[in-house]
Amino acid sequence: MTTAQQTTTPAHKPRPLIDLLVSILLPSWILMKFSAEQDLGPDGALLVALAFPLAWGGFELLKYRKFNFIALLGLISVLLTGGIGLLKLDAQWLAIKEAAVPGLIGIVVLVSTRTRYPLIRTLLFNKAVLNVQKIQQQLEHKGNSELFEESLLRATYWLSGTFFFSAGMNYVLAKWIVSSPAGSAAFNEELGRLTLVSYPMIAIPSMLMMMAILYFLWRTIHGLTGLKLEEVLLAAPEKKTS
């Protein structure tokens, strides 16, 4: 008799508060409070601070075994920041790195419009959130598929614009806040301050722009298909009761 053992990967549930605590608040606090020589020292504080987002991102990738493009970029960003501090490179490289990560995402989003798989379908118009099959059936039924593709392309340009906005703001903030030599206690303190300041000044406006794109996408779907919001959103599967 043979028994088949099936290994199931647990479903990933977004945990924004934990992400914020582990990836932003704790590293920033460590950099600002423990970078002095009598504490962890500049290198020690930087390594400990970087260990939190690095370990958390690795844990998420290993446990849920789901390729996450944004998580991968986050890990690369953490490693680059650590490298700049430990190798004591010029602070200019930090500003370039801060702008490069969202800038590259924006470029990838734009380039994806020339492929069969534009990234907006992965990030926003995807089967995990929307009832894509029903939407496409209604678009074909009403003869509005081409109009919808044009609107989706426009939304893709706006989506890339949010990443370019983040790139520009990241560069300006990094140049403004971080001016001390890399590898020093002052550099670490400024890096922690940059991390804290960048969240309200960059992440929140970017999130608001993303919500505006989602609203535009919903209004477009509603106008071209006539579907209501509850028909567009993917219904959660009902739990079986014994």
Side-chain angles (χ1 to χ4, degrees):
M1 183 178 65
T2 59
T3 58
Q5 295 182 346
Q6 295 181 347
T7 57
T8 58
T9 302
H12 181 269
K13 295 181 180 179
R15 292 169 285 190
L17 291 179
I18 297 179
D19 291 340
L20 179 63
L21 176 65
V22 176
S23 300
I24 295 179
L25 298 181
L26 277 176
S28 300
W29 180 70
I30 291 169
L31 288 172
M32 289 188 293
K33 298 298 182 182
F34 295 97
S35 292
E37 292 294 344
Q38 64 268 25
D39 297 315
L40 295 175
D43 292 347
L46 185 59
L47 285 174
V48 172
L50 292 173
F52 281 93
L54 187 60
W56 180 248
F59 165 77
E60 293 257 303
L61 291 174
L62 288 175
K63 182 174 182 178
Y64 299 107
R65 297 179 184 178
K66 185 177 180 182
F67 178 76
N68 189 317
F69 182 68
I70 304 300
L72 178 62
L73 284 175
L75 290 177
I76 294 173
S77 175
V78 167
L79 291 174
L80 288 175
T81 301
I84 291 170
L86 294 175
L87 295 176
K88 298 177 174 57
L89 301 179
D90 192 277
Q92 171 74 14
W93 287 104
L94 178 67
I96 294 174
K97 190 277 299 180
E98 290 293 316
V101 174
L104 285 174
I105 299 176
I107 293 172
V108 170
V109 171
L110 277 181
V111 172
S112 72
T113 61
R114 303 298 179 184
T115 69
R116 294 175 57 189
Y117 305 102
L119 274 180
I120 195 167
R121 293 186 179 273
T122 302
L123 299 174
L124 299 179
F125 188 68
N126 62 75
K127 296 179 181 179
V129 179
L130 303 176
N131 194 331
V132 174
Q133 184 177 1
K134 179 182 286 188
I135 294 170
Q136 290 176 336
Q137 287 175 349
Q138 281 296 104
L139 288 170
E140 292 174 3
H141 176 69
K142 293 180 175 291
N144 288 330
S145 296
E146 188 174 342
L147 286 175
F148 179 72
E149 290 298 327
E150 292 175 359
S151 297
L152 204 59
L153 183 62
R154 189 179 308 127
T156 304
Y157 293 146
W158 293 344
L159 179 63
S160 66
T162 64
F163 290 111
F164 291 138
F165 165 80
S166 296
M169 287 296 294
N170 277 347
Y171 184 84
V172 170
L173 282 178
K175 291 287 290 181
W176 175 40
I177 295 175
V178 182
S179 58
S180 300
S184 64
F187 174 83
N188 283 4
E189 292 176 7
E190 292 165 357
L191 186 60
R193 197 176 307 120
L194 172 66
T195 305
L196 286 178
V197 170
S198 64
Y199 187 76
M201 292 189 66
I202 298 174
I204 292 178
S206 297
M207 183 178 64
L208 291 175
M209 288 188 282
M210 194 77 74
M211 290 174 63
I213 295 171
L214 279 170
Y215 179 75
F216 167 78
L217 193 60
W218 147 241
R219 292 298 300 173
T220 300
I221 292 171
H222 175 68
L224 296 178
T225 64
L227 295 173
K228 297 179 181 179
L229 181 60
E230 56 269 22
E231 295 175 301
V232 169
L233 295 177
L234 189 66
E238 297 182 357
K239 295 182 180 179
K240 294 182 180 179
T241 57
S242 55

